[in-house]
Amino acid sequence: MAHQTLKYGLWLLVVTLAIAQMANAGDPNILSDFILPPNVTDVDGTFFTFTGFQALANSKNTTTFKVTKASMVEFPALNGQSVSYAALQYPVGSANPPHTHPRSAELLLVMVGSLEVGFVDTTNKLYTRTLYAGDMFVFPKGLVHYQYNTNAQDSIPTLAFSAFGSVNAGTVSLPATLFATGIDDTILATSFKTDVETVQKLKAGLAPKP
């Protein structure tokens, strides 16, 4: 009886520690109001200001899908704050290919135009929705998702903003990760139940342009 009680207690402890670890899996807490870059001791309001989205106001001729990030790399004041943004522009017929963000959920707000969006959960169920200006959609952390502009009646690119609960959410693009990183052709052909020639065509299409 004592042995069973000890065994149950150890199991409960392991589960409790695992849950605590999951709860703390985001950006670490900081012990100061904010974090300054190395060798910087004095800043003013300019340090806490990001102007990288100003160019979007006159950017109506985008011909390919474009992401403008405001993560810790572009906006150092975000260091330690567990938040970041991205502005996304989608010309008609363009897509943000299937991808994941390993370190954060994504909250997307459509500002101009419309988007078809979707994500796939761990049971392989697909959730889709058509979003219009003013609509928001959340992509759960780590799940594969995409966005696609199908609005052929509007020549103005769709504009959306995404918020993340991390200064560096990370992006894993499935097409690029699978077909542009040197994974053996035979392995990919076997995995996708196709032939090596098809895999090589996919790799050629994703190769960087000269």
Side-chain angles (χ1 to χ4, degrees):
M1 183 67 178
H3 175 73
Q4 290 292 342
T5 301
L6 178 60
K7 183 178 179 180
Y8 177 78
L10 290 174
W11 178 85
L12 185 61
L13 177 62
V14 170
V15 172
T16 302
L17 290 174
I19 293 174
Q21 182 65 31
M22 290 170 61
N24 292 321
D27 291 356
N29 290 325
I30 60 175
L31 301 178
S32 58
D33 294 338
F34 49 85
I35 299 175
L36 296 178
N39 303 319
V40 175
T41 58
D42 186 34
V43 296
D44 58 19
T46 302
F47 176 70
F48 301 97
T49 304
F50 180 76
T51 61
F53 292 158
Q54 288 184 1
L56 299 177
N58 299 313
S59 180
K60 296 183 179 180
N61 297 317
T62 303
T63 57
T64 59
F65 169 70
K66 182 180 179 181
V67 180
T68 304
K69 294 183 178 180
S71 68
M72 190 180 75
V73 174
E74 299 81 14
F75 191 10
L78 295 182
N79 189 6
Q81 304 304 319
S82 300
V83 292
S84 60
Y85 261 110
L88 306 102
Q89 297 168 278
Y90 312 78
V92 175
S94 68
N96 188 359
H99 61 281
T100 69
H101 301 295
R103 293 183 285 275
S104 176
E106 174 182 357
L107 184 61
L108 181 138
L109 169 63
V110 177
M111 299 296 294
V112 178
S114 62
L115 284 176
E116 178 183 330
V117 303
F119 72 87
V120 180
D121 70 11
T122 54
T123 68
N124 287 330
K125 181 177 179 179
L126 174 64
Y127 300 82
T128 64
R129 183 76 176 181
T130 299
L131 305 179
Y132 300 93
D135 290 343
M136 298 179 72
F137 192 89
V138 63
F139 301 101
K141 179 179 178 180
L143 297 185
V144 174
H145 59 281
Y146 64 87
Q147 301 106 30
Y148 179 50
N149 182 1
T150 61
N151 187 8
Q153 297 178 348
D154 192 348
S155 61
I156 300 176
T158 292
L159 173 65
F161 287 91
S162 287
F164 301 93
S166 170
V167 297
N168 183 15
T171 300
V172 180
S173 171
L174 270 62
T177 299
L178 294 171
F179 296 102
T181 56
I183 298 177
D184 184 79
D185 293 350
T186 302
I187 294 173
L188 290 171
T190 301
S191 300
F192 287 92
K193 302 187 186 309
T194 186
D195 53 69
V196 170
E197 182 180 0
T198 300
V199 169
Q200 290 175 343
K201 288 181 179 179
L202 289 168
K203 285 188 172 184
L206 290 166
K209 299 295 185 292

